[in-house]
Amino acid sequence: MEEIEIYLDTAKEMMEKAIDHTKTEFSKIRAGKAMPGMLDGIEVEYYGSMTPLNQVAGVTTPDARTLSVKPWEKNMLQEIERAIINSNLGFNPQNDGEQIRINIPPLTEERRLNLMKQVRAEAEKGKVSIRNARKETNDALKKLDGVSEDLVKNAEDNVQKLTDTYTAKIDSLVESKEKDIMTV
């Protein structure tokens, strides 16, 4: 039935969004490797207004343990350096007059375990979103008028299969992120 298909598609879409959100949150958890996204939350005072760092400088990774910040305008070096120090990310920028280099220290075992907890917490949030999508869809299916119980039951089974599939996807994301974090 067409109405049931619409509900199933909506459930699939909601679960896909939960996966995408979980991936985004995982990308924010640093695994000891330098990534330009690590500096995304930093804002620099640029001609009197606060501006995201990536709009006043190029951020690159010359190697796995170093970030390089090259401002578009040389007079911004001190401002960028100050913003990085004040960001509470625990970085120690080195200014060489042309660009700023940030060495990313290797993770300690304790820090790795804390990151693992963070990954698992984000994964659980993703799974909760998936289960909420399942619940909303099942509730909507039960309220359908003029639909046989067998069709509703089959649709609920399909929703459960979707839930299992997307939960497994989150589990595999967790597995790969844990491997990433634990790799020294």
Side-chain angles (χ1 to χ4, degrees):
M1 198 168 165
E2 199 173 303
E3 255 183 298
I4 291 175
E5 286 302 315
I6 291 171
Y7 282 121
L8 290 175
D9 288 344
T10 304
K12 189 174 183 179
E13 204 174 285
M14 289 164 60
M15 291 178 187
E16 199 64 54
K17 284 180 182 172
I19 295 284
D20 291 342
H21 179 74
T22 303
K23 283 181 184 175
T24 303
E25 291 304 310
F26 279 6
S27 72
K28 293 177 185 173
I29 299 173
R30 79 175 179 103
K33 289 192 287 279
M35 296 183 301
M38 298 167 100
L39 302 178
D40 277 354
I42 297 177
E43 292 198 337
V44 180
E45 188 170 327
Y46 183 67
Y47 294 111
S49 65
M50 295 310 280
T51 308
L53 175 65
N54 61 7
Q55 291 181 15
V56 296
V59 181
T60 58
T61 51
D63 60 64
R65 294 253 178 248
T66 310
L67 282 173
S68 174
V69 182
K70 190 164 176 87
W72 310 136
E73 299 174 27
K74 263 191 188 165
N75 63 341
M76 291 301 297
L77 268 171
Q78 262 68 40
E79 280 296 327
I80 292 171
E81 187 176 19
R82 191 175 312 121
I84 292 170
I85 291 169
N86 294 337
S87 69
N88 291 332
L89 291 174
F91 293 139
N92 187 14
Q94 290 137 7
N95 180 346
D96 68 7
E98 290 286 318
Q99 63 185 343
I100 296 170
R101 292 194 182 281
I102 302 169
N103 290 318
I104 309 298
L107 296 173
T108 63
E109 189 65 26
E110 181 183 341
R111 181 75 177 121
R112 287 178 197 277
L113 295 174
N114 285 339
L115 289 174
M116 297 292 290
K117 287 179 188 172
Q118 215 177 329
V119 165
R120 290 190 189 110
E122 286 302 332
E124 191 53 41
K125 287 179 189 173
K127 288 179 180 181
V128 166
S129 295
I130 290 170
R131 290 193 294 268
N132 285 341
R134 175 187 63 193
K135 183 182 181 318
E136 287 173 25
T137 305
N138 284 343
D139 290 348
L141 288 171
K142 288 175 185 168
K143 291 178 183 172
L144 284 177
D145 288 331
V147 179
S148 73
E149 284 183 34
D150 288 345
L151 283 175
V152 171
K153 188 70 181 140
N154 284 342
E156 287 176 348
D157 289 345
N158 288 338
V159 171
Q160 185 58 47
K161 286 177 189 167
L162 277 175
T163 304
D164 294 343
T165 301
Y166 282 96
T167 301
K169 283 184 182 182
I170 286 195
D171 288 338
S172 73
L173 285 173
V174 168
E175 201 174 295
S176 71
K177 188 65 178 182
E178 285 181 349
K179 202 178 292 176
D180 192 26
I181 289 172
M182 293 315 261
T183 303
V184 179

